[in-house]
Amino acid sequence: MEGLSGAVFATHTSPVTDFDVLVLGSGPGGQKAAIAAAKLERRVAIVERRDMIGGVCINTGTIPSKTLREAVLYLTGLTQRDMYGQSYRLKEDITVTDLTVRTRHVVGREVDVIRNQLARNRVTVLTGSGHFVDPHTVAVVDERGNEMKVTADKIIVATGTRPARPASVQFDDQTIIDSDGILQMDRVPDSMVVVGAGVIGIEYASMFAALGTKVTVVERRERMLDFCDLEVVEALKYHLRDLAVTFRFGETVAAVEKHPRGALTILESGKKIPASTVMYSAGRQGMTENLVLPAAGLAADDRGRITVDEFYRTSVPHIYAVGDVIGFPSLAATSMEQGRLAAYHACDEPVSGMNQLQPIGIYTIPEISFIGKTEDELTDSLIPFEVGVSRYRELARGQIIGDTYGMLKLLVSPEDRSLLGVHVFGTGATELIHIGQAVMGCGGTIDYLVDAVFNYPTLAESYKVAALDAVNKLRRVARITD
Ligand SMILES: Cc1cc2nc3c(=O)[nH]c(=O)nc-3n(C[C@H](O)[C@H](O)[C@H](O)COP(=O)(O)OP(=O)(O)OC[C@H]3O[C@@H](n4cnc5c(N)ncnc54)[C@H](O)[C@@H]3O)c2cc1C
């Protein structure tokens, strides 16, 4: 059942409300909330705007950007150049069409998968934009302006975010764009200024640098990705500089001027950077402005975010909020889990709360992933640790795939030999991290990794090599004090 016409609620047995659970937004948070509630045999509906099934995640964020990255890696042949020489390319003159063909294909398939999952689980899809009429009633307005009202016992807000656009910048969606605009570009620019070295900014900076675009990254702070391991970030910066990326840290953009032949980014320090395209990656704004939150007794902060408790309940207990609209960490991965947990709580199912051990994946080129603490965090908290390192160039698999720069680092407690943190840089980092997560989550030690037999030749073997390195260092300390 889809669209406003589909909302004929004749099948209810003496319903007080039309639905048990109504979800606003079909991104990872909303989608998993709706399916979880449906699996618990609740009457569930999800409200979503036309052409946005799957949310920002599928349509403009995670999935298109990661598919674009895959297309860039494949077409540029970047990862094969160690093997076949620096001039190796699968295709010269890569066009936007070459890149978007793959993106459109994957997005189409993913939307289909989600529609199918919702249908299979009998989740009613109400197409339109939802807003509160009162704490239990939502009006859904379709693109023709038709409005219908639906009521629900529990409501889960999962409306996500949109790119924040500083008022001082004249975005034109061609020369001066935000991260949504990347997907609408009509050509691969020869030069680009990326304003903001957050995760999204730096992921796109590395993709365009790999395509041969001359990229300048401007960041107000002195460091980028300061929540990551310093050594890993240094390695990333080295690689990006090698791809002709220029970093301007500690610099603020004063103005961006549009000219017939491109844009001029003027920094407060007086520097002027010409480029064909300027991409602003200046944070995101919660999609709450059209929700009429006061009608439900709710309010958002100045960045459009809604405050929730540990069970994702807002200040109105039957209304929940999950995903990017509640702020940090604003990842698809966590949004999904928040959605499931909120739905369980709303349906009186026991919930254990969000697992605190959460991986971070950054799809730069090369990619980064970590879990647990960084060296800086441990040092600041006066927690002693030993480091075990494995370098891909010393692994047979590293040589076979031509990744000679990758590395895996284990931070180990000298007291009980448990893992305090795992940091991976290079091919497969975002997959490899889950081995460390499993060991940490199960309270394992480096001794498990030393004793385990890994497939050979694999990158996973790096865990054993790094664990042996840490054990040897711990042994050296023990010998001296014996
Ligand atoms: C470029 C980019 C790359 C990213 N890469 C990654 C990554 O690699 N890994 C990762 O984990 N995360 C990544 N993210 C973050 C990830 O996309 C988000 O964390 C995730 O999409 C948030 O999910 P959500 O459930 O909050 O909803 P969203 O995906 O934000 O979707 C919200 C939905 O709500 C709908 N909506 C809004 N208002 C209304 C309304 N009034 N009525 C009905 N529907 C409404 C919108 O149309 C939208 O479809 C990336 C984000 C971006 C922008």
Side-chain angles (χ1 to χ4, degrees), residues 166 168-171 176 193-197 216-221 248-257 264-273 278-282:
S168 57
V169 181
Q170 300 299 310
F171 289 87
I176 307 170
V193 170
V194 174
V195 183
T216 305
V217 177
V218 181
E219 168 60 55
R220 191 178 305 176
R221 286 168 294 188
R248 296 281 175 222
F249 289 113
E251 298 262 22
T252 304
V253 174
V256 182
E257 291 174 359
L264 201 57
T265 304
I266 303 166
L267 307 186
E268 282 182 358
S269 63
K271 293 185 191 73
K272 293 181 179 174
I273 312 168
V278 177
M279 189 196 85
Y280 253 82
S281 182

Side-chain angles (χ1 to χ4, degrees), residues 213-291:
T213 302
K214 201 173 160 358
V215 177
T216 305
V217 177
V218 181
E219 168 60 55
R220 191 178 305 176
R221 286 168 294 188
E222 295 296 337
R223 273 181 66 177
M224 66 176 195
L225 308 179
D226 53 4
F227 52 93
C228 294
D229 179 87
L230 190 57
E231 190 182 351
V232 165
V233 177
E234 286 305 320
L236 176 67
K237 281 199 302 201
Y238 171 84
H239 273 267
L240 293 182
R241 285 193 174 112
D242 208 37
L243 291 173
V245 173
T246 304
F247 290 101
R248 296 281 175 222
F249 289 113
E251 298 262 22
T252 304
V253 174
V256 182
E257 291 174 359
K258 193 184 167 194
H259 295 278
R261 274 178 291 161
L264 201 57
T265 304
I266 303 166
L267 307 186
E268 282 182 358
S269 63
K271 293 185 191 73
K272 293 181 179 174
I273 312 168
S276 346
T277 306
V278 177
M279 189 196 85
Y280 253 82
S281 182
R284 300 186 62 89
Q285 184 74 21
M287 287 277 283
T288 46
E289 65 268 43
N290 298 325
L291 284 179

Side-chain angles (χ1 to χ4, degrees), residues 27-33 54 56-58 61-63 66 312 322-324 326-341 354-355 357-363 369-371 430 433-434 437:
Q31 201 191 108
K32 299 296 174 199
V56 163
C57 176
I58 302 293
T62 314
I63 298 306
K66 262 76 266 182
Y312 303 101
V322 297
D324 284 14
I326 65 168
F328 183 83
S330 297
L331 289 169
T334 39
S335 302
M336 291 182 202
E337 188 56 3
Q338 291 168 357
R340 185 184 71 85
L341 294 173
M354 182 68 112
N355 191 321
L357 197 59
Q358 289 169 17
I360 299 286
I362 303 175
Y363 294 84
S369 197
F370 71 91
I371 191 154
T430 52
I433 201 66
H434 294 296
Q437 179 182 22

